[in-house]
Amino acid sequence: MSTATADIYRPGLEGIIACETAISSVEGRQGAGGLEYRGYPIEELAESATYLETAHLLLHGHLPTQAELDAFEDRIRAARAVPEPLIELLRNVPRHVHPMDTLRTSVSVLAHYDPDLAASPTDHAANVRKAERLIGQMATAIAYRERIERGLPLLAPRDDLDHAANFLYMVNGEVPSETKRKAFDVSLVLYAEHELNASTFAARVTVSTLSDLHSGIVSAIGTLKGPLHGGANEEAWKVLEQVGDPDKAHAWITAALGRKERIMGFGHRVYKTGDPRARILKRYCQQIAHEAGEDRWERIAEPIEREVTAQKHLPPNVDWPSARLYHYLGLQIHIYTPIFAMARVAGWAAHVIEQLDHNRLMRPRARYIGQPSRDVEPIEARG
Ligand code: ACO
């Protein structure tokens, strides 16, 4: 057997092109860096398109006309109702279980009740229908579990509210102000897709065996959970709390970096000079904090950013401002990463569908660094 391919080795697959995609690019215009979904700059989408317009773009390949958007929103609204056995299960999962674990289980359960359960994994139209249903269902599953955690009655989805406002209403029991709705919707747009990040890669690997869309999304949720990926938005909030005072930022960051700790919410495998999503979301954080007359966390975040940039040349990533934004929206830390997942499901599903439309089994090689070839000794001779 040839060993030639095993000679190409990069730990963490850094810089390796593992697939072709038409869904998003982190190269930006003329390779100048920046995030684009199907050719549209993220800055313009955040400004001008809602999360559901963006999800339509990712799943269907183009920004919807008004008629297409109306029909798409109707289908998502219809999918907000989840099967009763899932609600029962969400009530019975032990209290201490992390919402990312209950979300992973929820998607598995939703697969059992999906009307396209029997469809071929490569049925493009069925996969799009499954993806659309998951966008509506995952938001409901997260909101219901959160209400159960808080010991509050469940709130039925409201047809008069859009995706962002309905989710905040179903969690908090209040219709958000327009500023809050827009800020949350922008965060969903920014989280919706990001090329071949770890969770998307996991989803594509899973379905490359001709497994089904729901299995790909379950793999992705398990992968997103880790603190080096989606779990960082929860950890970023803990950094803010631990620093606790703008005047303590210098000493806290110096000590943490001295202990070789990672400052969560900073650094990125691809964006070495700055994550464009962080710049966009920071403006919304500042606006909401200003309107609420509560700028304490903005005042703490600022010197932390300065210190990490000065001492380690690491700019913030999207999880840094999103942690503050979700705090301002009255959301508890443990649903920050599930919110990331409820937005990213559009991107994950688009990648799953793209993979299945042009499938090739993903099966890389490993370089063997263990013992040289040897004979098995009889058990009496081992020791
Ligand atoms: N805090 C402190 N040091 C860091 C950080 C950080 N957040 N990130 C990287 N470094 C340091 C490393 O310790 C290393 O230092 P060294 O050269 O002195 O040993 C150097 O920067 C390079 O680090 P790598 O691990 O090679 O960088 P990589 O590209 O693999 O890291 C990652 C990317 C995992 C995101 C990293 O920056 C990190 O751990 N950040 C914190 C977790 C985080 O915020 N994750 C969210 C990512 S964005 C997202 O998922 C939406």
Side-chain angles (χ1 to χ4, degrees), residues 108-129:
S108 272
V109 172
L110 288 166
H112 309 328
Y113 296 92
D114 193 276
D116 285 305
L117 175 69
S120 156
T122 55
D123 182 335
H124 180 98
N127 283 336
V128 172
R129 289 194 296 270

Side-chain angles (χ1 to χ4, degrees), residues 14 191 227-230 232 257 260-270 272 275 277 308 312 314 317-319 340 344:
E14 193 164 353
Y191 271 138
L228 294 188
H229 192 5
L257 291 176
K260 301 260 175 240
E261 284 174 15
R262 286 186 180 231
I263 314 298
M264 294 298 164
F266 288 85
H268 197 275
R269 175 61 66 81
V270 177
K272 296 303 178 194
D275 180 337
R277 300 167 300 174
V308 183
K312 204 71 193 173
L314 287 170
N317 59 53
V318 64
D319 290 330
F340 185 159
R344 183 60 59 86

Side-chain angles (χ1 to χ4, degrees), residues 189-238:
V189 171
L190 299 177
Y191 271 138
E193 159 60 11
H194 207 226
E195 200 226 36
L196 204 56
N197 56 86
S199 54
T200 301
F201 184 49
R204 289 190 78 129
V205 170
T206 298
V207 300
S208 81
T209 66
L210 294 185
S211 185
D212 64 293
L213 182 137
H214 284 83
S215 297
I217 304 301
V218 169
S219 293
I221 293 172
T223 309
L224 185 71
K225 184 184 165 191
L228 294 188
H229 192 5
N233 59 11
E234 300 184 16
E235 299 302 318
W237 177 256
K238 293 178 194 161

Side-chain angles (χ1 to χ4, degrees), residues 42-50 53-54 63 182 186 189 284:
I42 192 67
E43 290 79 4
E44 289 183 29
L45 289 170
E47 185 69 32
S48 316
T50 63
E53 285 175 76
T54 306
L63 282 169
K182 172 69 182 169
V186 166
V189 171
Y284 285 93

Side-chain angles (χ1 to χ4, degrees), residues 52 66-80 132 136 159:
L52 288 188
Q66 189 60 55
E68 285 172 330
L69 181 62
D70 292 346
F72 185 67
E73 286 178 343
D74 280 350
R75 295 197 295 277
I76 304 290
R77 260 193 292 273
R80 286 174 179 167
E132 291 185 355
D159 284 352

